Amino acid sequence: QVQLVESGGGLVQPGGSLRLSCAASGNSRTIDTMAWFRQAPGKQRELVAGITSGDKTNYVDSVKGRFTISRDNAKNTVYLQMNSLKPEDTAVYYCNAVTDSGTMLRRDYWGQGTQVTVAA
């Protein structure tokens, strides 16, 4: 089992920055990929950014050049640095961790979510 706890959300003005953190505990050494998803009201949850155990990253087009995902394996923590925030970035952001990816034993774990609101 893996437990994920997010922090760092809040209210920020357009153009501002926030850094989200997600700390993993439990059987965190089995984690392969970690990612951030978000869900805005009335919309489906979407992948924002992901990072593999080898630090390969991927981003949704709408955040490229503005958001950066990173992980500190020693602290079992993944971060999402969000710069140049826009009102359309407003959403609940969820941390995701995957174990045994690519196998039938794959499991996805989710954090509780943290609200990010971008407004003047």
Side-chain angles (χ1 to χ4, degrees), residues 31-46:
I31 294 174
D32 300 322
T33 299
M34 298 191 77
W36 289 95
F37 287 71
R38 66 186 178 188
Q39 187 166 19
K43 294 189 176 181
Q44 289 189 328
R45 188 174 297 190
E46 67 168 351

Side-chain angles (χ1 to χ4, degrees), residues 4 6 35-49 60 62 88-98 106 108-115:
L4 303 172
E6 301 122 333
W36 289 95
F37 287 71
R38 66 186 178 188
Q39 187 166 19
K43 294 189 176 181
Q44 289 189 328
R45 188 174 297 190
E46 67 168 351
L47 173 65
V48 177
V60 67
S62 60
E88 50 263 43
D89 295 317
T90 296
V92 178
Y93 283 70
Y94 296 92
C95 179
N96 166 265
V98 177
R106 174 192 170 121
D108 282 71
Y109 297 90
W110 296 91
Q112 79 284 1
T114 185
Q115 177 70 46

Side-chain angles (χ1 to χ4, degrees), residues 12-86:
V12 64
Q13 292 186 342
S17 298
L18 281 176
R19 188 174 85 152
L20 305 183
S21 300
C22 173
S25 61
N27 202 9
S28 57
R29 284 181 293 180
T30 63
I31 294 174
D32 300 322
T33 299
M34 298 191 77
W36 289 95
F37 287 71
R38 66 186 178 188
Q39 187 166 19
K43 294 189 176 181
Q44 289 189 328
R45 188 174 297 190
E46 67 168 351
L47 173 65
V48 177
I51 185 167
T52 68
S53 56
D55 288 338
K56 279 189 151 180
T57 60
N58 64 288
Y59 300 89
V60 67
D61 285 346
S62 60
V63 308
K64 285 180 180 177
R66 300 188 298 122
F67 290 12
T68 302
I69 189 170
S70 61
R71 67 193 284 177
D72 184 335
N73 291 323
K75 295 182 179 180
N76 297 318
T77 300
V78 64
Y79 305 97
L80 185 68
Q81 178 66 44
M82 306 185 292
N83 299 327
S84 302
L85 282 160
K86 303 175 181 180

